[in-house]
Amino acid sequence: MAELNTEWALEKLRGFLRVLELRYVPDGPNTFGFAHYALANPKEEVQAAAQVAEQILDRIVLDWRTADWIAPAKQAWWRHREATHRAIAQLEAQEELEANLGSVGPKLSAASLHPWVWGSIAGLWGSGHFGEAVGAAARAINAQAQSKLGRRDASEWALLSDAFSPNRPIEGHPRLRLSEDDGGDTFRNQHAGAGDLARGLYRAVRNPLSHEETEIAENVALEYVAAFSVLARWVDAAEVLPADN
């Protein structure tokens, strides 16, 4: 994913705040006896600006959709408004923060994961259903692998372990190849390792989560889906090697 364009992001976020401006609605015959504040701009304009702003917020204020540090309020779009103020402050002070606080290490955004993974979990992640999101990522990779290999007789770790096998393909068992088979250890280790990763993720992560009712912490779920994202990239990048005719 390309590096964030700070100036562009600031322009979009500041514009979003302008679109979110409120107007005072005094007490009158159409307010049921209550004066209040309402959006000054049409709902369609707010929604259009939010479509872009939300994607920026996902990169900068990672937990803005579910964080309890945002005070509840009755005004419309309050969570968006507070998160946008925070994102603007972060972007404006980024160089100063790095100069004075030093590097804090890389940060992983869920939105930077492989499209198979993020595309399947975005809604669940935004609503705080992190355990279900991990399961959805696992199912998405399985569906893509079955489609790519043209197989429905196996699934999950059994399918991918077989597909990444360093052995030659046989009828009904096409292989996924990340590199050409030159007979060397690197080829065998690469493909055996890919199969091992698939076995570990589906058996040690996906299967236990499917039988647990308790939710898992966001940071733990992010580590899990990041691992599934690696597997997704390998499945996506691999070429299918069918059995010799």
Side-chain angles (χ1 to χ4, degrees):
M1 179 173 288
E3 183 179 351
L4 178 68
N5 184 328
T6 300
E7 292 303 317
W8 171 84
L10 282 170
E11 179 184 354
K12 292 297 182 181
L13 292 175
R14 289 167 180 155
F16 184 45
L17 285 181
R18 289 191 294 270
V19 172
L20 287 179
E21 288 180 352
L22 300 174
R23 61 182 177 86
Y24 178 71
V25 181
D27 182 15
N30 296 322
T31 62
F32 302 99
F34 294 98
H36 62 280
Y37 285 91
L39 289 170
N41 295 293
K43 181 175 68 174
E44 293 77 10
E45 184 177 348
V46 175
Q47 292 172 333
Q51 180 65 24
V52 175
E54 287 174 352
Q55 296 181 61
I56 301 173
L57 294 177
D58 284 338
R59 294 283 300 275
I60 303 169
V61 189
L62 302 186
D63 60 343
W64 73 274
R65 297 177 185 270
T66 58
D68 56 10
W69 43 255
I70 295 183
K74 294 182 179 180
Q75 290 93 337
W77 300 87
W78 187 261
R79 180 173 291 272
H80 286 73
R81 187 176 287 106
E82 181 168 338
T84 300
H85 279 298
R86 287 175 176 264
I88 290 174
Q90 177 70 30
L91 290 174
E92 290 179 336
Q94 190 64 41
E95 291 186 7
E96 180 183 358
L97 289 170
E98 291 178 356
N100 290 279
L101 297 179
S103 175
V104 296
K107 293 183 178 179
L108 175 64
S109 168
S112 69
L113 300 171
H114 189 278
W116 291 354
V117 172
W118 181 240
S120 66
I121 71 173
L124 290 167
W125 200 270
S127 60
H129 294 86
F130 304 121
E132 292 183 30
V134 176
R139 292 190 297 273
I141 296 172
N142 177 66
Q144 293 286 352
Q146 286 184 323
S147 177
K148 184 166 187 170
L149 292 161
R151 293 186 61 182
R152 294 294 186 273
D153 60 315
S155 63
E156 299 189 344
W157 72 266
L159 172 69
L160 290 173
S161 180
D162 183 70
F164 279 118
S165 169
N167 298 329
R168 294 289 301 171
I170 59 176
E171 186 65 29
H173 296 265
R175 309 298 187 196
L176 290 175
R177 290 293 177 254
L178 296 165
S179 60
E180 186 176 353
D181 185 358
D182 58 1
D185 289 340
T186 298
F187 167 82
R188 297 191 66 83
N189 289 336
Q190 183 182 35
H191 290 83
D196 289 342
L197 178 64
R199 278 194 297 272
L201 288 176
Y202 280 102
R203 300 182 76 172
V205 176
R206 188 263 191 273
N207 287 348
L209 283 177
S210 66
H211 296 97
E212 294 178 1
E213 296 182 359
T214 57
E215 268 297 344
I216 59 176
E218 181 177 11
N219 64 305
V220 175
L222 186 56
E223 292 174 1
Y224 287 160
V225 295
F228 273 109
S229 181
V230 173
L231 182 60
R233 292 188 190 281
W234 288 348
V235 174
D236 190 16
E239 294 186 4
V240 177
L241 183 65
D244 296 331
N245 296 324

